[in-house]
């Protein structure tokens, strides 16, 4: 993976019958590439990954590989089945993913830490694809301690981590727990500048479904050595990030993408339901007020 950048945690478009819609996916990938994103995560939390079968995840990656242009592809894996997770890492290698992003096996919330770490060590040993470990306690019920992350970081197939805990203290703790060769991506975009200051690599971001160009702009200013511009852009963007994050996700992101004309169908799979229209309208108005109308660059 690239060392520095924005990786949208992409939604998964569906057609009117609830099937993965690759025509819409092509448009979404073009939206991310035009914004300057480094890559994209498929079938993650925002991608309704737990609602996709293993075969659908494979097919989504396979078909996206022909549409992604210069974007790196990362496959999200969220399953308590070690066999299924291992199979998906092999599909990721076959179809060109640069990494897999793997959650703790969340169904087994009573499992001891040693069991969860042994699960990851078995996956690391079997995977032909580099592994990003995903800390998301809200969804999995499991929190990786810095010591646990450091233990996994000793495996040669450990690429790095994503942290969606929202805990600012983790920025320094995780950076110290792994080597400088490992990449670290923050999931809570409100912590983006703090993460970069702590030596992190960027963000794997749900909000960048909707405002990718502005988040890319923050990191581009950092990369060019213009901290003042980065801070100004982040100050302008942060209220929009907070508003997007206040909506239920991924329904909110899909509704906003529909408003932008990127998705023709904002449909979801049950048990998810559409976001409240009034709340979506309010967020869309805030984005327009602060950031202006986006230029899609997609012929729309």
């Amino acid at each position: 993976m690239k060392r520095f950048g924005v990786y949208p945690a992409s939604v998964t478009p569906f057609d009117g019958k609830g099937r993965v819609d690759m025509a819409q996916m092509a448009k979404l990938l073009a939206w991310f590439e035009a914004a300057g994103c480094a890559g994209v995560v498929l079938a993650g939390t925002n991608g309704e990954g737990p609602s996709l079968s293993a075969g659908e995840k494979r097919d989504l990656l396979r078909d996206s590989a022909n549409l992604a242009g210069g974007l790196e592809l990362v496959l999200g894996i969220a399953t308590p089945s070690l066999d299924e997770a291992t199979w998906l890492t092999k599909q990721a290698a076959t179809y060109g993913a640069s990494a897999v992003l793997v959650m703790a096996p969340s169904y087994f919330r009573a499992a001891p830490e040693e069991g969860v770490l042994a699960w990851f060590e078995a996956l690391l040993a079997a995977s032909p694809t580099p592994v990003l470990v995903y800390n998301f306690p809200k969804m999995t019920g499991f929190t990786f301690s810095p010591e646990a992350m450091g233990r996994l970081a000793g495996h040669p197939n450990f690429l790095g981590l994503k942290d969606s805990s929202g805990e600012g203290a983790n920025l320094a703790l995780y950076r110290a727990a792994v080597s400088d060769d490992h990449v670290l991506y923050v999931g809570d975009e409100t912590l983006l500048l703090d993460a970069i200051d702590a030596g992190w690599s960027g963000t794997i971001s749900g909000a960048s479904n909707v405002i990718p160009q502005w988040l890319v702009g923050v990191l581009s200013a950092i990369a060019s050595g213009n901290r003042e511009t980065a801070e100004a852009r982040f100050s302008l963007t942060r209220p929009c990030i907070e508003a997007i994050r206040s909506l239920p996700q991924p329904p909110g992101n899909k509704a906003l993408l529909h408003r932008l004309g990127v998705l023709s169908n904002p449909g979801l799979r049950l048990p998810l339901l559409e976001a409240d229209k009034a709340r979506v309208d309010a967020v869309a108005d805030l984005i327009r007020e602060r950031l202006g109308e986006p230029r899609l660059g997609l012929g729309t």
Side-chain angles (χ1 to χ4, degrees):
M1 291 181 71
K2 296 175 181 175
R3 295 306 241 180
F4 194 76
V6 173
Y7 290 77
S10 176
V11 301
T12 301
F14 300 120
D15 64 18
K17 295 184 178 180
R19 299 169 299 196
V20 175
D21 187 332
M22 289 310 301
Q24 288 193 87
M25 192 72 214
K27 193 173 182 182
L28 187 58
L29 290 168
W31 162 246
F32 296 145
E33 187 174 27
C37 295
V40 60
V41 175
L42 303 173
T45 306
N46 267 273
E48 298 175 64
S51 294
L52 300 175
S53 70
E56 285 178 314
K57 293 174 189 176
R58 174 203 59 203
D59 294 348
L60 176 62
L61 172 62
R62 179 197 65 203
D63 296 343
S64 294
N66 297 318
L67 303 168
L71 295 169
E72 288 187 286
L73 296 180
V74 177
L75 181 63
I77 296 177
T79 174
S81 166
L82 181 57
D83 284 349
E84 182 176 296
T86 301
W87 183 82
L88 284 167
T89 68
K90 294 175 180 177
Q91 303 311 303
T94 298
Y95 295 109
S98 61
V100 290
L101 177 66
V102 186
M103 276 188 177
S106 58
Y107 180 82
F108 300 105
R109 291 185 174 225
E113 180 181 62
E114 180 60 34
V116 174
L117 295 182
W119 188 97
F120 269 94
E121 286 170 335
L123 183 69
L124 284 162
S127 174
T129 310
V131 174
L132 287 169
V133 174
Y134 189 5
N135 185 55
F136 200 1
K138 177 182 176 182
M139 301 302 290
T140 66
F142 181 83
T143 300
F144 288 92
S145 67
E147 295 76 17
M149 200 66 78
R151 171 174 156 180
L152 296 179
H155 195 283
N157 211 21
F158 176 94
L159 178 64
L161 63 98
K162 175 187 178 182
D163 179 39
S164 289
S165 68
E167 298 291 337
N170 281 347
L171 299 176
L173 292 172
Y174 283 156
R175 181 69 278 175
V178 304
S179 81
D180 291 342
D181 293 331
H182 294 129
V183 293
L184 299 88
Y185 296 99
V186 68
D188 184 339
E189 303 91 345
T190 65
L191 295 173
L192 181 56
L193 283 186
D194 291 338
I196 299 306
D197 289 343
W200 285 47
S201 311
T203 179
I204 294 175
S205 160
S208 62
N209 277 279
V210 180
I211 52 171
Q213 58 272 67
W214 292 284
L215 288 169
V216 168
V218 172
L219 292 192
S220 295
I222 291 286
S224 65
N226 196 331
R227 175 73 185 203
E228 184 176 351
T229 298
E231 290 179 352
R233 288 175 177 171
F234 188 65
S235 177
L236 190 65
T237 306
R238 180 166 179 156
C240 300
I241 294 170
E242 293 171 343
I244 292 167
R245 291 178 63 87
S246 75
L247 295 172
Q249 299 300 347
N253 282 337
K254 281 192 164 181
L256 289 166
L257 285 165
H258 181 59
R259 285 283 301 265
L260 288 168
V262 180
L263 291 185
S264 58
N265 177 17
L268 304 143
R269 283 188 176 174
L270 293 172
L272 297 179
L273 299 175
E274 291 183 7
D276 179 77
K277 183 178 183 301
R279 291 182 62 193
V280 172
D281 288 345
V283 173
D285 289 344
L286 175 67
I287 293 171
R288 184 180 300 107
E289 175 186 337
R290 293 190 68 87
L291 304 179
E293 293 285 353
R295 291 186 292 273
L296 301 185
L298 302 176
T300 60

